[in-house]
Every structure is written in C-alpha cells, then in structure tokens.
Amino acid sequence: TKGNDEARAVAVFALGEIEAEGGEVIAALAAAFNDAQDKVSEQAARLLGQIGESAVDELIKSMNDKDLRRPGHAALALSIIGPPAARASDGLLTMLKTGDEDARGYAVFALSKVAGDKPEVISALIDALQNDPSEYSVRVYAAEALGRIAPPVRAAIPALTAALKHSHEAVRQAAADALTDIKHPERNTWRTAR
C-alpha cells in the first residue's frame, strides 16, 4: 500500500542518517535495491553514495546479484562516490555490456565518474556511443560522459563526429555538446577529472 511505501522510504532515509559506516547499515541500504518502489531504491543508492568508499564492496556485490531488481542504482551510488570506487569499474563495464537499458545508462555515468582515466573505460564509452542497442538513451549518456571527462578525450572526436548524423535528435545534440566541451574544456562545469 502507499502508506507502506512511504514508511519504507522513511526507514531507508533513517538508515542513512545513522552515523555509522558499519556493514549492517550498508547491507540494509543495499537490500533496498530490491524494493518494489523505485524511490526507495534510489534513495538507498544516494545514501550509500554519501557513505562513500566503505560501501564500495557491498555495491560491487549488489551489481553481481543476478536477482537484483535495480542494479543500476548500485551504479548510481558508485557514481556519487567517484574515484574512490574505481575498483568497481570491471563490474560497471560488465553492466554496460549485459545490463538492461536503464542499468547501462547508469553504468555509463558511473564509469565516467569513477574511472574515466582508464583507456578501457574510454573505449567502452566510445563503443556505447557507436553501438548500444537502445534507440538513443544510452548513446546520449555516452556522448555526455565523453564530453565531461577531463582532460578532454580527443580519441572520442571521430565517434562523436559520426554521432552528429544519428537519426535521433537527442544523440546529435549530445554529440555536439560533447564536441564543444572537448574543444572548450574551460567552459565545461560538469568535467570529471581523470
């Protein structure tokens, strides 16, 4: 019921307010990724991201759980943690290749935040821009991610240039924006350091 949904959301928030990096709190928040309500799962992800590096191992475990309802939310938490979560990049690369469209989108964003300096990540982002089976959403996220990595990813220029001819306007716009960000990195306030 709606009341139970709200109670679970409040409970997840309360867990996040506990001043502890203990495994029990982290495991309980990660378990919320299976909640029926998206907002409960997303709130758990944001709180795990705020906990930081001590949550990374549990998040990696969550990404590998084949029964997990929302694996993308583990990637969301990792993106909030940023570079201290770099050891999760292999799991994120796997999610980018095998996850559903939602999970692949989160994986693209997380990869750019946690390991944008790794050549294999840049290569995977370029591949997602060129070949993702989604109509357009993951390609848009990949273009945006490539434009945000610092220093600029010049290796992405040919793929971004080709994306200017994509059939979907959102992909074309994201590619144009990314090319502008690469050409003028000083203007890009979303830069992800690498």
Side-chain angles (χ1 to χ4, degrees), residues 64-120:
N64 293 323
D65 182 350
K66 299 295 182 207
D67 296 324
L68 190 63
R69 182 175 279 191
R70 293 188 184 85
H73 285 169
L76 172 61
L78 291 164
S79 72
I80 294 167
I81 295 168
R87 67 181 182 271
S89 61
D90 288 343
L92 290 166
L93 287 166
T94 298
M95 183 183 290
L96 180 56
K97 292 177 187 162
T98 63
D100 64 19
E101 185 174 341
D102 188 50
R104 292 192 317 272
Y106 279 118
V108 162
F109 185 69
L111 282 164
S112 72
K113 291 288 194 178
V114 306
D117 61 337
K118 293 185 173 185
E120 64 271 21

Side-chain angles (χ1 to χ4, degrees), residues 180-181 184-190:
T180 299
D181 290 342
H184 301 287
E186 71 283 356
R187 296 183 196 169
N188 187 346
T189 60
W190 290 95

Side-chain angles (χ1 to χ4, degrees), residues 9-10 24 28 39-40 42 52 58 66 70 74 83 93 101 110 116 132 138 152 160 163 171 173 185 189 192-194:
V10 169
E24 293 170 2
K39 69 179 180 181
V40 172
E42 186 172 338
E58 187 67 34
K66 299 295 182 207
R70 293 188 184 85
L93 287 166
E101 185 174 341
D132 190 81
V138 177
L160 289 164
V171 175
Q173 185 62 54
T189 60
T192 301
R194 67 175 179 121

Side-chain angles (χ1 to χ4, degrees), residues 18-151:
I18 295 172
E19 291 291 330
E21 294 181 356
E24 293 170 2
V25 171
I26 292 170
L29 287 169
F33 291 156
N34 276 325
D35 195 274
Q37 292 298 313
D38 189 59
K39 69 179 180 181
V40 172
S41 179
E42 186 172 338
Q43 178 65 21
R46 292 184 187 288
L47 293 168
L48 282 164
Q50 291 172 3
I51 287 172
E53 189 173 1
S54 61
V56 172
D57 291 334
E58 187 67 34
L59 291 165
I60 291 170
K61 189 170 111 181
S62 292
M63 283 191 309
N64 293 323
D65 182 350
K66 299 295 182 207
D67 296 324
L68 190 63
R69 182 175 279 191
R70 293 188 184 85
H73 285 169
L76 172 61
L78 291 164
S79 72
I80 294 167
I81 295 168
R87 67 181 182 271
S89 61
D90 288 343
L92 290 166
L93 287 166
T94 298
M95 183 183 290
L96 180 56
K97 292 177 187 162
T98 63
D100 64 19
E101 185 174 341
D102 188 50
R104 292 192 317 272
Y106 279 118
V108 162
F109 185 69
L111 282 164
S112 72
K113 291 288 194 178
V114 306
D117 61 337
K118 293 185 173 185
E120 64 271 21
V121 168
I122 293 168
S123 178
L125 294 175
I126 291 170
D127 185 62
L129 172 63
Q130 294 174 320
N131 302 311
D132 190 81
S134 68
E135 181 183 354
Y136 67 93
S137 65
V138 177
R139 292 172 189 252
V140 168
Y141 299 141
E144 291 172 345
L146 288 164
R148 291 177 180 168
I149 294 171

